[in-house]
Amino acid sequence: MPSTNHVEFHLRARVGEIVLNRPEELHALSLPMIEAMDGQLAEWIADPKVVGITIRGKGTQSFCAGSDQRALYRALRAGDRAYGRVFFEKFYRLLHRIERCPKPTMSVMDGATTGGGVALAMQCQKRIVTRNTYFSTAECRVGYFPDGGLGPILGRCPGEQGLFFALTGVALRGRGLIQTGLATHLVAEGQVNMLSPLLIDHLEAAPDHSQLADLEPTINQVFGLSSIKDILGVPVVRPRITETTA
């Protein structure tokens, strides 16, 4: 099956596989990549011979580092405001197509999964992590809202964990993603190339303990309050959730 625009397409055992292949940019999504993915997905969805779809990044460094911010910046500096509109219109259309896909879909978040890469992964029905996963939403860290349809997804996290993540943008590892329900399965790093949405339940590994589980009562208490005064009245929480422990 042909590959194009830093994306490879394979059909193996009736499962369509999308492999992001732009390692110099941590598989950040360009407009041609988005267009190619959306077109191929539409074909696979309509093809009765295809029974499932998988999305992953090539190698172990990254799943997807989000949208190509450099291209967006260059277009804006050149006065081309239409580029950003077209880019995000087509990106959101891709996300909608994945989320509405009637066939089993699976994202493999091995390595860095950030920004728009988070949005891409979260639309899939089965969301796989490894101990190599680094998951972060930069937009939340700078006070922006969770983009790419993440709002309702975070709203399904247990207790107040979704609100905590949306307001802090804290980075999570695989075990933290399992704890929040943002990931459905954890697998060994060496198994990512053999995964299928039809077989993933047979390869799942037991996750390590997450610090989020220890802090869940405090997170629920603090982020369940409705005023700054009430929040400031809660004793300071000494344990810190860090990017390497969450």
Side-chain angles (χ1 to χ4, degrees):
M1 184 165 291
S3 301
T4 182
N5 300 320
H6 298 112
V7 187
E8 298 176 6
F9 301 113
H10 308 283
L11 189 58
R12 298 174 179 169
R14 301 181 66 192
V15 173
E17 185 177 65
I18 298 173
V19 182
L20 306 180
N21 188 13
R22 199 185 180 196
E24 70 279 4
E25 298 290 345
L26 296 178
H27 309 315
L29 299 172
S30 66
L31 182 56
M33 292 170 70
I34 291 170
E35 292 172 334
M37 292 169 66
D38 193 49
Q40 185 62 70
L41 274 168
E43 289 186 22
W44 280 339
I45 290 172
D47 187 346
K49 296 189 297 294
V50 177
V51 297
I53 297 168
T54 296
I55 308 174
R56 64 179 179 87
K58 195 163 191 174
T60 61
Q61 189 175 12
S62 175
F63 166 68
C64 176
S67 56
D68 187 343
Q69 297 294 325
R70 292 181 185 176
L72 290 164
Y73 175 74
R74 286 194 295 265
L76 190 61
R77 286 293 300 269
D80 183 5
R81 302 184 70 87
Y83 179 85
R85 177 183 59 79
V86 172
F87 182 97
F88 285 106
E89 179 181 288
K90 293 191 174 183
F91 181 49
Y92 294 147
R93 183 182 300 154
L94 170 64
L95 298 181
H96 182 264
R97 193 182 302 278
I98 297 171
E99 196 275 333
R100 293 294 183 181
C101 180
K103 301 178 181 182
T105 55
M106 182 178 75
S107 56
V108 184
M109 295 176 279
D110 187 30
T113 304
T114 62
V118 169
L120 183 69
M122 290 296 102
Q123 309 310 316
C124 293
Q125 299 162 18
K126 298 186 178 183
R127 302 172 298 279
I128 315 306
V129 292
T130 70
R131 291 178 176 85
N132 188 43
T133 299
Y134 175 87
F135 181 101
S136 175
T137 53
E139 65 269 25
C140 294
R141 288 191 169 217
V142 297
Y144 195 57
F145 64 85
D147 201 5
L150 288 180
I153 293 171
L154 293 178
R156 294 195 288 267
C157 293
E160 302 296 333
Q161 290 183 20
L163 182 60
F164 162 75
F165 186 74
L167 292 178
T168 64
V170 65
L172 299 176
R173 294 290 191 179
R175 54 181 176 251
L177 291 166
I178 294 290
Q179 170 68 25
T180 60
L182 294 172
T184 58
H185 300 75
L186 183 141
V187 302
E189 292 84 344
Q191 296 179 322
V192 295
N193 292 332
M194 64 180 73
L195 297 179
S196 163
L198 308 179
L199 302 174
I200 182 59
D201 294 334
H202 300 287
L203 296 172
E204 186 174 10
D208 299 328
H209 178 74
S210 170
Q211 190 182 6
L212 279 176
D214 299 331
L215 292 180
E216 185 174 3
T218 302
I219 290 172
N220 290 341
Q221 179 187 12
V222 172
F223 288 85
L225 298 173
S226 58
S227 72
I228 298 296
K229 180 180 178 181
D230 291 340
I231 292 172
L232 292 177
V234 177
V236 175
V237 180
R238 293 300 178 186
R240 286 187 60 204
I241 296 180
T242 68
E243 295 171 355
T244 56
T245 60

